[in-house]
Amino acid sequence: MKALRILGLIGAILLMAGEGYRSWGAGRPAVFWMDDMLAGAMMIAAAILVRRPTTSRRAFFSASWGVAAGMLYGSFFGKLYDPANSNPGNFPIGLLTWLVGAAFVIAIGGLIASILLPDPPPRD
């Protein structure tokens, strides 16, 4: 659980920082970068809360991985199939596609791992 929480925190920070760099001064509309900030904030909050796991906190943690995977799905495949209409901002399109693809794979793995985590022992 701890490793998955750390991966979530690091991934969220990298996602938010990468999107900030990508969009800084590039004239990208807010709707195209706010989803990354919201998904990152959700992951950070969930990773902190699940430190003391309850059923609802574990569900929130899994949901945050699912939000990240869902958000990255459209971003990755949009760049893969129609790179000419993608706005890579401050990144080369090839590098951005690889980075988003790696984040997408990690998010899918995090979602699966967070669902398959064993239940915590009951408290007496």
Side-chain angles (χ1 to χ4, degrees), residues 18-19 21-22 28 72 75-76 79 86-103:
E19 185 60 40
Y21 172 75
R22 174 186 176 196
R28 297 183 72 234
L72 289 162
S75 181
F76 174 65
K79 286 165 192 48
S86 294
N87 181 354
N90 295 316
F91 280 103
I93 189 66
L95 174 62
L96 182 62
T97 303
W98 278 103
L99 291 171
V100 172

Side-chain angles (χ1 to χ4, degrees), residues 17-82:
E19 185 60 40
Y21 172 75
R22 174 186 176 196
S23 299
W24 191 264
R28 297 183 72 234
V31 297
F32 295 116
W33 55 263
M34 284 302 295
D35 61 339
D36 295 302
M37 300 304 162
L38 293 171
M42 183 178 180
M43 178 63 72
I44 290 169
I48 291 169
L49 287 172
V50 83
R51 182 175 168 204
R52 291 185 305 184
T54 64
T55 303
S56 61
R57 289 177 180 192
R58 298 251 327 249
F60 182 49
F61 189 54
S62 293
S64 69
W65 281 108
V67 166
M71 182 244 346
L72 289 162
Y73 174 88
S75 181
F76 174 65
F77 286 107
K79 286 165 192 48
L80 190 64
Y81 286 108
D82 194 11

